[in-house]
C-alpha cells in the first residue's frame, strides 16, 4: 500500500439525461514526498481527478486512501492552489497567510506570528506583509496563495495550473521556489499543467492522461531518467531533458490524433 | 473631456455636477418668474428656500425630521438584522433557499401601499404600523439581494477555505461574508433609499408627525413653497446619507481600488 492510493476511481458528471464521463476507472499510487505532475489534453479530466483527491468532488466509483485511511470531504490534510482567485482581496498578504494558520490547533499565539513571517519570507514577499492584493502583481498573488496553503501544513499539496496565467520569468521563479520547498519540506504534491517542460522539470513522476474519459496513458519515472540531483532551470538544456520532452510531446500528439479519429467514427 | 470610458479629474466632475444643478435651478426660476407656470403651482427656488427656513422657525420641523430619520433607521436596521443572516444561509444551504425563495418572491411583488390598510388593522395607527410598512418594503427585497451577493462569491474562495481546514461556519464567517461585504453594503445603501419612499407613504396615510405628515398637512392650505421645501428636505437627507455610505465604502474597502 502506497501513501496516497487512488483505486479504480471514476467520475461521471450529470444525471440521467446528460451524462459526461470525465474520468474512467483509474488507479494510481503515490509515494510520500513525491511530486507527480499531470499532463493531458484539455478537458480530459485532470482537474476532476485532483478535485476528487481534494474531496471537492465525490468519485462515482472507487476509493481514495491516505496512509491507509479512506478520504472524504475537504479538510486541512489536502491543500489546494487554484489557477486564479488566488489570494483573498480583503486581506493583506500577512492576513492571507494568517488565515492559513487560523484553523490549526497546534500553534500558540506567538508561534503563529513567527510562522506567518517565516512563510512570507519563504515566498519572497518580505516588505509586502501589509500590502493588499490590489497592490501586488499576479505572480506575487499566486505566491501568497501558495504560502497560505503551505501555512495550513497539509499532507498533500494540490496545484491546478497554478502558474498558468503568469509570464515566463515569474513562472520560472515560482518553479524554483516550488522545487526548493519540496527539497526542504518534502511535501507530496500533485501538479497539473499544460506546459510539457514544466511538467518534466518539476516531476519525480509524470502522468500523461488520455483524452476524456481520463485514463493513465503513460506513467514516467522522471527521477530515474533525469537523475535525482537537485533540479534547476539549467536542466532544460540537457540532452536527457530534451529527449524526454520530445518523447512526451509525441505521446500527447498521438493521443490527440487518436481521440480525433475516434470522435470522427463515433455514431 | 469626452474620452470614451475615461475618468475625469475630481474637480471637473464637481464642476459638471454643479453646472447641471444650476441649469436645472435656472430653468425652474425662469419658468416661475416669467409666469409660464403660475407661481401658485411653481414658486421660485428662492421662495422655496425661504419656506424651508420658515418650516424650522414657525414649526418644529427639526423634530419632524428627527422622527422620520429615526423611523427609517429603526425599520432599516430591523430589516438588515434579519436579512443578512438569512440571505447568507439561503445561498450557502440550498435547502434554506428552496424553502424561503418562493414565499419571499411572492411577497416581494405585493405593492407595499396596498399592504398599508392591512398593517394599520394589525398594528394600529402608532409607530408599529409605520415600522411594519418600511420593513415590508425593504426586507423581502434585501434578503434576495444579499443572497445573490453571497452566491456570487467565487467557488474557489469557499473551496480554499475548506481545504485550509475551516468548518462550514468558519467559511461563512471568514470567507463568504467578508468576500460579499462590499456588495452587501452597496445594496444596503440602495435599500435605505427605498425606505424613504415607503416612509412618506406611511406618514401620509396615518401619522401626526414626520416629514410626510408635514408635507401632507401643508398641502391642505396650498402652501406650495412649504410642500416643495419638505420634498427638498427629503432629497437632501437622502443625498447626504448616500454620500456618507459611499464615503464609508471607499474607506473601508480600499482594497477594491485598481
Ligand atoms: N461540474 C461539472 N459538471 C459537468 N461536467 C463537468 C463538470 N466539471 C467538468 N466537467 C466535464 O468533465 C470533463 C473534464 O473536465 P476537467 O475540468 O477535469 O478537465 P481538465 O483535464 O482539467 O481540462 P483543462 O486541461 O482544460 O483544465 C470536461 O469534459 C468537462 O466538460
Ligand atoms: Mg483543468
Amino acid at each position: 500500500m502506497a501513501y496516497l492510493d487512488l483505486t479504480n476511481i471514476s467520475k461521471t458528471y450529470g444525471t440521467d439525461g446528460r451524462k459526461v464521463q470525465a474520468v474512467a476507472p483509474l488507479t494510481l499510487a503515490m509515494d510520500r514526498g513525491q511530486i507527480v505532475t499531470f499532463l493531458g489534453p484539455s478537458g480530459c479530466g485532470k482537474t476532476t481527478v485532483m478535485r476528487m483527491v481534494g474531496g471537492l468532488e465525490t468519485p462515482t466509483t472507487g476509493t481514495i486512501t491516505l496512509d491507509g485511511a479512506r478520504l472524504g470531504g475537504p479538510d486541512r490534510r489536502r491543500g489546494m492552489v487554484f489557477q486564479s482567485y488566488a489570494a483573498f482581496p480583503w486581506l493583506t498578504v500577512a492576513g492571507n497567510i494568517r488565515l492559513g494558520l487560523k484553523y490549526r490547533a497546534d500553534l500558540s499565539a506567538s508561534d503563529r506570528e513567527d510562522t506567518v513571517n517565516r512563510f512570507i519570507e519563504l515566498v519572497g514577499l518580505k516588505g509586502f506583509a501589509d500590502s493588499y492584493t490590489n497592490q501586488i502583481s499576479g505572480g506575487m498573488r499566486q505566491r501568497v496563495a501558495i504560502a497560505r496553503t503551505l501555512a495550513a501544513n497539509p499532507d498533500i499539496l494540490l496545484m491546478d495550473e497554478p502558474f498558468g496565467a503568469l509570464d515566463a520569468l515569474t513562472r520560472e521563479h515560482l518553479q524554483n521556489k516550488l522545487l526548493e520547498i519540496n527539497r526542504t519540506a518534502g511535501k507530496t504534491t500533485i501538479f497539473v499543467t499544460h506546459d510539457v517542460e514544466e511538467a518534466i522539470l518539476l516531476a519525480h513522476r509524470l502522468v500523461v492522461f488520455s483524452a476524456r474519459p481520463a485514463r493513465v496513458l503513460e506513467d514516467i519515472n522522471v527521477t530515474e531518467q533525469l537523475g535525482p540531483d537537485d533540479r534547476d532551470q539549467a536542466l532544460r538544456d540537457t540532452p536527457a531533458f530534451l529527449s524526454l520532452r520530445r518523447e512526451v510531446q509525441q505521446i500527447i500528439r498521438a493521443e490527440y490524433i487518436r481521440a480525433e479519429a475516434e470522435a470522427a467514427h463515433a455514431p | 473631456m469626452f474620452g470614451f470610458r475615461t475618468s475625469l479629474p475630481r474637480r471637473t466632475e464637481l464642476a459638471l455636477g454643479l453646472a447641471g444643478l444650476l441649469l436645472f435651478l435656472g430653468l425652474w426660476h425662469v419658468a416661475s418668474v416669467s409666469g409660464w407656470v403660475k407661481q401658485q403651482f411653481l414658486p421660485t427656488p428662492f421662495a422655496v428656500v425661504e419656506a424651508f427656513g420658515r418650516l424650522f422657525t414657525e414649526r418644529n420641523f427639526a423634530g419632524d425630521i428627527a422622527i422620520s430619520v429615526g423611523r427609517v433607521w429603526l425599520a432599516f436596521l430591523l430589516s438588515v438584522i434579519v436579512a443578512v443572516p438569512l440571505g447568507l444561509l439561503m445561498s450557502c444551504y440550498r435547502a434554506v433557499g428552496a424553502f424561503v425563495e418562493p414565499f419571499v418572491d411572492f411577497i416581494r411583488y405585493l405593492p407595499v401601499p396596498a399592504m398599508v390598510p392591512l398593517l394599520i388593522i394589525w398594528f394600529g395607527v402608532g409607530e408599529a404600523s409605520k415600522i411594519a410598512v418600511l420593513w415590508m418594503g425593504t426586507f423581502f427585497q434585501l434578503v434576495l439581494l444579499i443572497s445573490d451577493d453571497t452566491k456570487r462569491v467565487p467557488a474557489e474562495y469557499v473551496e480554499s477555505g475548506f481545504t485550509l481546514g475551516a468548518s462550514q461556519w468558519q467559511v461563512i464567517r471568514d470567507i463568504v461574508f467578508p468576500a460579499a461585504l462590499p456588495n452587501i453594503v452597496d445594496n444596503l445603501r440602495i435599500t435605505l433609499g427605498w425606505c424613504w419612499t415607503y416612509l412618506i407613504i406611511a406618514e401620509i396615510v396615518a401619522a401626526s408627525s414626520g416629514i410626510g405628515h408635514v408635507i401632507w398637512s401643508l398641502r391642505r392650505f396650498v402652501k406650495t413653497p412649504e410642500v416643495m421645501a419638505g420634498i427638498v428636505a427629503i432629497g437632501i437627507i437622502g443625498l447626504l446619507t448616500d454620500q456618507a455610505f459611499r464615503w464609508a465604502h471607499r474607506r473601508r474597502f480600499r482594497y477594491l481600488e485598481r
Side-chain angles (χ1 to χ4, degrees):
Chain A
M1 193 176 55
Y3 180 59
L4 177 67
D5 266 311
L6 320 188
T7 313
N8 280 319
I9 54 160
S10 74
K11 178 74 189 182
T12 305
Y13 286 110
T15 43
D16 302 325
R18 288 170 150 262
K19 284 196 171 179
V20 178
Q21 190 179 18
V23 180
L26 169 155
T27 297
L28 207 63
M30 286 178 55
D31 295 330
R32 194 193 286 262
Q34 248 186 356
I35 300 183
V36 178
T37 53
F38 287 1
L39 268 179
S42 180
C44 75
K46 302 178 294 293
T47 297
T48 305
V49 172
M50 175 167 282
R51 289 174 60 82
M52 287 195 285
V53 175
L56 300 172
E57 217 75 69
T58 325
T60 309
T61 66
T63 55
I64 302 175
T65 61
L66 180 66
D67 248 346
R70 218 173 142 159
L71 289 175
D75 57 35
R76 198 162 63 76
R77 285 178 294 175
R78 291 151 289 162
M80 193 105 172
V81 180
F82 297 90
Q83 173 169 2
S84 46
Y85 303 106
F88 297 144
W90 63 92
L91 295 173
T92 60
V93 167
N96 265 280
I97 296 172
R98 206 171 289 123
L99 193 73
L101 300 169
K102 188 165 183 179
Y103 314 110
R104 284 174 65 174
D106 57 337
L107 290 172
S108 70
S110 66
D111 279 351
R112 259 167 228 276
E113 276 319 290
D114 290 347
T115 315
V116 169
N117 291 327
R118 195 157 54 80
F119 279 106
I120 290 177
E121 269 175 51
L122 178 77
V123 293
L125 288 175
K126 221 176 154 189
F128 291 94
D130 298 323
S131 303
Y132 283 91
T133 55
N134 63 341
Q135 299 161 317
I136 60 177
S137 72
M140 290 158 90
R141 264 174 245 163
Q142 205 55 300
R143 279 185 268 167
V144 173
I146 293 170
R148 185 182 64 205
T149 305
L150 287 171
N153 195 24
D155 295 329
I156 300 174
L157 200 54
L158 304 168
M159 305 180 89
D160 194 359
E161 299 184 44
F163 309 152
L166 305 176
D167 67 284
L169 283 176
T170 311
R171 215 173 158 132
E172 287 192 1
H173 177 75
L174 291 186
Q175 288 164 354
N176 296 340
K177 279 282 173 216
L178 188 67
L179 287 169
E180 188 186 311
I181 289 163
N182 183 262
R183 271 196 296 273
T184 53
K187 279 271 174 264
T188 312
T189 304
I190 299 180
F191 190 104
V192 175
T193 175
H194 275 127
D195 179 339
V196 176
E197 289 199 15
E198 182 172 74
I200 298 171
L201 186 75
L202 296 177
H204 296 116
R205 181 172 160 201
L206 167 57
V207 177
V208 184
F209 287 103
S210 69
R212 188 175 66 81
R215 291 171 293 108
V216 176
L217 200 62
E218 207 71 49
D219 191 339
I220 303 166
N221 188 330
V222 180
T223 311
E224 205 166 73
Q225 297 213 16
L226 300 182
D229 302 322
D230 284 354
R231 303 278 178 88
D232 59 34
Q233 299 293 335
L235 193 71
R236 289 179 193 262
D237 302 320
T238 61
F241 187 95
L242 292 173
S243 90
L244 184 55
R245 191 188 75 180
R246 209 168 310 125
E247 187 190 322
V248 172
Q249 269 167 345
Q250 254 148 27
I251 293 166
I252 292 174
R253 263 184 223 130
E255 174 59 12
Y256 263 109
I257 292 167
R258 187 200 63 78
E260 237 169 48
E262 190 183 276
H265 289 113
Chain B
M1 197 150 115
F2 287 95
F4 195 68
R5 300 189 70 165
T6 53
S7 57
L8 285 175
R10 184 114 188 88
R11 263 216 242 141
T12 318
E13 286 212 14
L14 276 177
L16 282 173
L18 211 60
L21 196 62
L22 285 177
L23 180 67
F24 168 74
L25 289 173
L27 287 176
W28 169 7
H29 187 72
V30 168
S32 172
V33 174
S34 67
W36 188 47
V37 185
K38 271 203 191 121
Q39 292 219 353
Q40 189 189 358
F41 297 122
L42 188 70
T44 65
F46 298 103
V48 173
V49 172
E50 273 167 16
F52 196 78
R54 277 203 301 282
L55 280 179
F56 284 93
T57 51
E58 288 175 14
R59 47 156 66 230
N60 181 19
F61 193 50
D64 286 300
I65 290 180
I67 286 170
S68 288
V69 170
R71 282 175 185 151
V72 163
W73 275 92
L74 179 61
F76 177 67
L77 291 179
L78 286 176
S79 235
V80 172
I81 286 173
V82 190
V84 170
L86 187 58
L88 279 168
L89 289 178
M90 280 168 70
S91 78
C92 292
Y93 299 100
R94 197 48 220 142
V96 179
F99 186 72
V100 175
E101 262 163 32
F103 172 71
V104 169
D105 264 327
F106 169 68
I107 303 261
R108 199 163 67 98
Y109 279 103
L110 299 181
V112 174
M115 302 293 293
V116 173
L118 180 65
L119 291 170
I120 289 177
I121 293 175
W122 283 352
F123 296 105
V125 289
E127 287 306 307
S129 63
K130 277 157 217 98
I131 303 297
V133 169
L134 297 190
W135 194 85
M136 290 284 293
T138 51
F139 171 76
F140 295 97
Q141 311 279 348
L142 192 57
V143 78
L144 290 184
L145 289 171
I146 305 271
S147 158
D148 276 346
D149 288 337
T150 44
K151 257 182 218 153
R152 275 199 298 273
V153 172
E156 284 86 348
Y157 286 178
V158 172
E159 291 174 346
S160 292
F162 284 123
T163 58
L164 292 175
S167 64
Q168 292 186 2
W169 155 241
Q170 286 165 333
V171 165
I172 293 178
R173 184 192 61 192
D174 297 339
I175 292 170
V176 175
F177 181 67
L181 194 58
N183 289 333
I184 291 180
V185 171
D186 246 338
N187 278 323
L188 294 188
R189 176 174 62 80
I190 291 163
T191 317
L192 183 60
W194 299 343
C195 264
W196 281 96
T197 315
Y198 299 127
L199 174 83
I200 301 309
I201 293 170
E203 286 183 345
I204 283 177
V205 174
S208 51
S209 60
I211 303 176
H213 165 75
V214 170
I215 295 175
W216 196 243
S217 51
L218 288 168
R219 169 210 59 112
R220 251 177 284 149
F221 310 106
V222 202
K223 290 197 169 177
T224 317
E226 273 83 352
V227 168
M228 290 182 77
I231 296 169
V232 169
I234 297 170
I236 291 173
I237 296 168
L239 186 71
L240 289 179
T241 321
D242 201 81
Q243 289 299 319
F245 252 92
R246 281 177 199 271
W247 176 81
H249 194 282
R250 268 198 304 275
R251 261 188 75 91
R252 175 67 181 72
F253 305 119
R254 241 181 224 149
Y255 59 81
L256 293 174
E257 279 164 28
R258 294 269 89 213

